[in-house]
Amino acid sequence: MAGKRKTNEAGSTNDLRADVLSVLGVLKVATADQIQRLASPHLSYRHTLKKTPATRKEARTASHRGAANDLRRHGLLVDGGRTRGNEEVRILTAAGLAAAAIDLDREPEEMGGMPKSAGRSGASHPMTVNETVIALIRPKPDLDLVAGEPAEAVAAAQAAVDAPDGIGTLTSYATEVALPVKGTWKNPAIGSARADVVLTAPGDGVPLLFIEADNCTEEAVLIAAKFDKYMRFFRRQEKDTDGKEKPMWRTRWSAPPWEEYERVHPPVLLVFHQGGKRSAKNQMERVADLTRPHWQGRWYEERGYHSYDGCIPIVATTLERLREHGPAGPAFWRYGRDRDRLEPLHDAIGNHRRDTYLARRRQAAREEERRREEEQAAKREARRPTCADCGAKFTDDRWNAVGYTRNPESHKHLCEDCQSRAVAAEQQAKADERERQEQEQLRQQAEAAQEEAEAAKKNRGLFGRRR
């Protein structure tokens, strides 16, 4: 124990240190509170008997703060200053990022970069990114680890478990991901975009989603300009391992194949947090106007849906609304749709009308195919031979057997049963004929023997008289 304390003076366990590395490996910058809420959500429902929120927070984050301090002593993370709420920020070092890559089972180039000015000016943008990830995941506590707490704490934990699920787990997310318009994934050229968050959760119906967070401090023009880079990245082609060119993003992330020649780019979610002086509502609407060329679809009256060929589905919400409703609630506005029509995330990034049209068309195609098959089956049935003896229709096997011109099958005009009886009758007739011929041969042999005997007898009588 003494050796362990010397190595990890805060007394942290391997699991706790792994929690800190994994969370920081994804988020890059985080407070102990955010690490705890993601890694050990059950702790949020403990220590409820402490008198003040501050003492409760200190108690529930103590284990992860100790683990972070031990990792700092190992040179895997550093203190990154404090947030505007005076919470200490933790940041991985290069060695820490490499260690986190091992824990997350990711290649180094998949880890993403570090946020600019991560530990300065209160780290307000990284904190909003982190809160967005937490609001999307909606970590659920393990009720077994809350047992024994006061009734109100257990009830609150139960309510969290019963609430609609979030999307993905911590490993479904990556932050500060380069989107090279030129260059490589590892060394993107100047002018490339960098996604705040990339979500891949195909099991939850979100195969690929890019996420951008804004504290309402940046000009809408600058936010909209980022979509020009997104579009350049989405349009970039690159040869894959099969030698065929495809969008560069498809060489890294999996996504359903395009359908009906509609090349829709991956969706982007904008999350606005009312932290700056600009109105989140105005920011949302201003960015919608400025990015119209990227998201506006084309209406097909005869089909009853918008086509978004070559477009980026852009969806917007506020962090407050996302926290309240989660991804399954009415929190998202799809640019181009009614501003007051808020939808769950799945509906907002999708195209329900087009899906309905294509489903109807596929169903009609299946019904037409079934009709053709039934029609062909009826025509074939009409051609099916019938037995010349009993009138029964041939089975498929019998029909196939007699259908070949060189087939040695006998009685091709008869069904299998009648053929069997006919063959048996022929065989019996042949056997009877063989028996008749054998009897006739025996009779003839007997008559010949008798004639020979009589001739011999006659000859003996003639010889006797001559003497």
Side-chain angles (χ1 to χ4, degrees):
M1 179 62 71
K4 178 181 177 182
R5 285 291 184 180
K6 186 174 181 181
T7 303
N8 299 295
E9 295 181 12
S12 63
T13 64
N14 289 337
D15 288 343
L16 282 168
R17 293 192 298 277
D19 284 347
V20 175
L21 279 176
S22 296
V23 173
L24 287 177
V26 172
L27 301 183
K28 307 303 189 307
V29 181
T31 63
D33 170 66
Q34 291 169 334
I35 294 171
Q36 174 265 307
R37 286 154 60 201
L38 278 167
S40 301
H42 66 280
L43 292 177
S44 298
Y45 304 92
R46 287 186 178 178
H47 311 291
T48 55
L49 298 179
K50 297 284 193 300
K51 293 184 179 180
T52 65
T55 56
R56 288 195 292 270
K57 189 174 194 177
E58 182 177 2
R60 65 182 171 82
T61 61
S63 297
H64 290 94
R65 283 188 286 112
N69 289 335
D70 285 336
L71 290 171
R72 177 171 52 79
R73 293 185 184 96
H74 293 310
L76 298 180
L77 61 78
V78 294
D79 298 335
R82 292 186 174 273
T83 67
R84 293 178 180 178
N86 202 34
E87 291 188 74
E88 191 173 10
V89 173
R90 312 290 179 145
I91 304 174
L92 290 178
T93 63
L97 197 63
I102 296 174
D103 277 4
L104 293 168
D105 193 23
R106 292 180 179 177
E107 297 297 326
E109 57 269 19
E110 294 180 290
M111 293 300 291
M114 296 299 295
K116 294 179 180 178
S117 304
R120 303 172 190 168
S121 304
S124 58
H125 183 261
M127 295 300 101
T128 299
V129 170
N130 296 353
E131 292 301 322
T132 296
V133 172
I134 294 171
L136 285 167
I137 295 176
R138 295 171 76 85
K140 292 183 181 293
D142 183 342
L143 293 178
D144 291 339
L145 300 179
V146 186
E149 296 298 319
E152 57 270 23
V154 174
Q158 184 66 61
V161 170
D162 294 339
D165 291 338
I167 293 180
T169 62
L170 179 66
T171 56
S172 305
Y173 295 79
T175 60
E176 296 296 319
V177 179
L179 310 178
V181 296
K182 286 185 178 182
T184 64
W185 293 107
K186 189 174 183 179
N187 296 302
I190 295 175
S192 298
R194 183 180 278 197
D196 288 340
V197 185
V198 177
L199 165 61
T200 52
D204 290 333
V206 184
L208 182 61
L209 177 68
F210 295 87
I211 304 170
E212 295 293 330
D214 176 57
N215 282 323
C216 297
T217 57
E218 196 168 21
E219 293 183 16
V221 174
L222 297 178
I223 299 172
K226 193 168 185 178
F227 283 90
D228 297 333
K229 298 178 180 180
Y230 264 100
M231 184 61 81
R232 290 180 63 195
F233 168 69
F234 287 149
R235 288 174 175 171
R236 182 178 177 183
Q237 300 284 312
E238 187 175 82
K239 282 188 177 181
D240 205 350
T241 53
D242 57 6
K244 296 180 180 179
E245 280 203 344
K246 61 178 60 175
M248 186 180 186
W249 62 268
R250 283 189 178 273
T251 66
R252 178 168 182 175
W253 295 291
S254 298
W258 283 316
E259 192 173 16
E260 295 288 314
Y261 304 103
E262 186 171 274
R263 305 295 192 263
V264 180
H265 300 306
V268 180
L269 169 63
L270 285 169
V271 180
F272 293 93
H273 175 46
Q274 192 61 66
K277 296 180 179 180
R278 294 180 171 85
S279 161
K281 179 176 181 294
N282 291 342
Q283 283 282 86
M284 204 178 295
E285 294 176 347
R286 179 65 176 146
V287 172
D289 289 337
L290 293 171
T291 57
R292 185 178 299 272
H294 295 316
W295 56 256
Q296 188 167 44
R298 178 183 177 188
W299 175 252
Y300 283 92
E301 182 68 36
E302 69 281 6
R303 300 179 183 179
Y305 70 82
H306 279 91
S307 170
Y308 295 100
D309 183 41
C311 297
I312 303 174
I314 303 178
V315 177
T317 189
T318 64
L319 180 57
E320 292 71 24
R321 191 175 287 133
L322 179 58
R323 282 170 168 165
E324 178 183 359
H325 298 287
F332 304 90
W333 172 37
R334 167 74 173 266
Y335 284 175
R337 296 178 185 170
D338 186 349
R339 174 66 181 82
D340 297 324
R341 177 188 163 196
L342 299 180
E343 306 171 288
L345 181 61
H346 286 109
D347 295 341
I349 64 177
N351 190 347
H352 175 70
R353 288 178 175 175
R354 183 173 184 273
D355 293 342
T356 301
Y357 168 81
L358 292 177
R360 285 199 306 264
R361 201 168 77 168
R362 284 191 291 267
Q363 179 63 26
R366 286 193 293 268
E367 292 176 356
E368 176 62 20
E369 179 65 22
R370 184 165 56 248
R371 185 194 65 77
R372 284 198 301 266
E373 289 175 354
E374 291 173 353
E375 185 178 291
Q376 291 171 359
K379 290 180 179 178
R380 185 174 186 273
E381 197 62 27
R383 298 195 308 271
R384 184 183 294 275
T386 56
C387 180
D389 191 356
C390 69
K393 289 188 175 183
F394 281 21
T395 64
D396 286 343
D397 289 342
R398 179 59 178 163
W399 193 1
N400 290 332
V402 302
Y404 299 102
T405 56
R406 296 182 181 179
N407 196 298
E409 287 281 333
S410 63
H411 304 286
K412 294 186 177 183
H413 60 292
L414 299 179
C415 68
E416 289 174 325
D417 291 341
C418 291
Q419 181 208 29
S420 298
R421 288 193 291 270
V423 169
E426 287 179 348
Q427 291 173 346
Q428 184 61 49
K430 289 178 181 179
D432 292 345
E433 178 62 20
R434 284 194 300 271
E435 184 177 358
R436 186 193 66 77
Q437 290 177 358
E438 290 173 356
Q439 292 297 328
E440 178 65 22
Q441 186 177 12
L442 291 174
R443 184 187 64 77
Q444 291 175 356
Q445 290 174 351
E447 288 179 350
Q450 185 178 358
E451 289 177 354
E452 289 179 357
E454 290 178 352
K457 183 178 179 182
K458 185 177 180 180
N459 288 335
R460 285 196 300 273
L462 290 174
F463 289 135
R465 287 195 296 269
R466 287 178 182 173
R467 288 196 295 269

